[in-house]
């Protein structure tokens, strides 16, 4: 489902003191992975099946589903496959597996992960995705091997948009929030983390390859991880 954020035509460029950063927390969908898969799944593929099940026009199905999605936006239910399978009456995981070939990694992601490890940073994948969705995407992309640990919001018991999530995550991972970078494509997540005291929130301005760029008014933004790589590594990644 498409993220809702404050659009701006002007970019706040990141100024990261890389030598001070010990821990890097990375979102998955829209940040490491192309959000086109999720947008297509929730906004086109699921409505198609819903319209067939209820014998209603596809546009009516989209309207009804978008209203239902928005009612639980920024909660754990938002990305809970079990919740939506019960709500909609068909197996959401099965549908995802039918189109898992659309799951893709953003450009320069693996180069950035390699750079983080070479620089001695602790890498964690932090996602709101349901564990079943996570398993499908990690199998399809093989990015899980880069991380010291992968955390689903369901394990914490709160969505990343909730301030309490970050306090619980700190107790679990024991990172220093004054020396931690968080990269995410959802401003509400970054705002919750910043309120908690996380020092370096960074916004992904191009979460989907099929959508335009929208910079954050409140947080530094990048389009691609290439912008965080040293010049020599960025050149090799071209």
């Amino acid at each position: 489902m498409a993220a809702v954020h404050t659009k701006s035509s002007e970019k706040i460029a990141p100024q990261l003191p890389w030598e001070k950063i010990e821990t890097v927390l990375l979102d998955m969908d829209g940040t490491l992975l192309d959000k086109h898969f999720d947008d297509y799944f929730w906004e086109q593929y699921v409505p198609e099946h819903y319209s067939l099940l209820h014998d209603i026009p596809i546009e009516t199905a989209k309207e009804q589903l978008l209203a239902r999605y928005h009612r639980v936006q920024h909660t754990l239910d938002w990305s809970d496959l079990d919740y939506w399978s019960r709500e909609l009456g068909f197996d959401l995981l099965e549908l995802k597996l039918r189109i898992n070939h659309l799951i893709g990694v953003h450009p320069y992601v693996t180069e950035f992960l390699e750079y983080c490890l070479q620089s001695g940073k602790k890498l964690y994948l932090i996602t709101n995705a349901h564990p079943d969705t996570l398993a499908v995407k990690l199998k399809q992309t093989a990015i899980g091997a880069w991380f010291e640990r992968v955390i689903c919001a369901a394990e914490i018991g709160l969505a990343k948009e909730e301030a309490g999530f970050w306090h619980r995550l700190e107790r679990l991972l024991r990172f220093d929030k004054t020396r931690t970078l968080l990269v995410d494509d959802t401003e509400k997540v970054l705002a919750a983390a910043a309120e908690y005291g996380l020092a370096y929130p960074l916004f992904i301005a191009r979460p989907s390859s099929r959508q335009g760029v929208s910079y954050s008014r409140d947080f530094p933004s990048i389009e691609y991880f290439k912008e965080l790589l040293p010049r020599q590594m960025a050149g090799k990644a071209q």
Side-chain angles (χ1 to χ4, degrees):
M1 289 169 271
V4 177
H5 53 77
T6 307
K7 296 181 179 180
S8 174
S9 59
E10 296 187 10
K11 175 181 178 178
I12 304 173
Q15 301 290 334
L16 296 175
W18 202 242
E19 70 285 353
K20 295 182 180 179
I21 294 172
E22 293 179 342
T23 303
V24 178
L25 308 178
L26 296 170
D27 171 53
M28 183 172 67
D29 300 322
T31 299
L32 300 178
L33 305 187
D34 191 338
K35 206 159 182 289
H36 169 62
F37 170 82
D38 299 281
D39 292 344
Y40 173 75
F41 179 79
W42 291 105
E43 297 173 12
Q44 186 63 39
Y45 202 56
V46 171
E48 286 174 359
H49 286 266
Y50 189 80
S51 70
L52 290 172
L53 182 65
H54 294 279
D55 193 22
I56 58 176
I58 183 67
E59 291 305 318
T60 302
K62 286 182 180 180
E63 290 175 8
Q64 291 182 8
L65 288 175
L66 287 174
R68 294 174 76 167
Y69 296 161
H70 289 171
R71 281 200 290 270
V72 296
Q73 190 175 11
H74 306 306
T75 72
L76 285 178
D77 287 340
W78 165 265
S79 53
D80 187 337
L81 289 188
D82 296 329
Y83 170 84
W84 288 114
S85 294
R86 290 193 305 270
E87 285 286 305
L88 304 183
F90 46 84
D91 189 337
L92 272 290
L93 179 59
E94 180 187 346
L95 290 189
K96 287 204 170 190
L97 289 171
R98 291 182 190 177
I99 58 168
N100 64 357
H101 61 279
L102 296 178
I103 298 168
V105 181
H106 274 311
Y108 312 109
V109 163
T110 55
E111 291 84 0
F112 177 70
L113 296 175
E114 180 182 353
Y115 173 59
C116 287
L117 292 184
Q118 288 179 355
S119 304
K121 312 304 179 188
K122 292 181 179 179
L123 272 178
Y124 297 100
L125 178 59
I126 311 296
T127 179
N128 275 343
H130 186 274
D132 290 342
T133 297
L134 175 65
V136 169
K137 292 182 175 180
L138 292 184
K139 182 178 180 180
Q140 188 72 16
T141 63
I143 61 170
W146 294 95
F147 296 95
E148 202 162 311
R149 186 164 176 179
V150 177
I151 302 290
C152 282
E155 180 179 347
I156 302 296
L158 296 169
K160 293 190 298 179
E161 290 87 339
E162 300 177 73
F165 174 93
W166 301 99
H167 293 278
R168 293 185 187 183
L169 186 70
E170 181 184 6
R171 289 196 295 270
L172 179 65
L173 300 181
R174 301 192 178 280
F175 57 82
D176 181 348
K177 63 185 176 183
T178 68
R179 306 190 69 175
T180 296
L181 167 67
L182 167 67
V183 190
D184 204 293
D185 69 311
T186 302
E187 283 189 307
K188 193 171 177 64
V189 169
L190 296 175
E195 180 183 351
Y196 140 81
L198 193 138
Y200 305 109
L202 181 62
F203 180 70
I204 294 291
R206 191 192 291 270
S208 169
S209 61
R210 308 297 178 92
Q211 302 292 330
V213 176
S214 294
Y215 300 117
S216 171
R217 289 183 181 174
D218 301 315
F219 301 102
S221 300
I222 60 170
E223 293 179 44
Y224 298 113
F225 281 100
K226 179 181 179 180
E227 298 171 51
L228 303 183
L229 294 173
R231 185 170 300 175
Q232 62 271 24
M233 286 192 71
K236 290 179 182 179
Q238 290 179 342

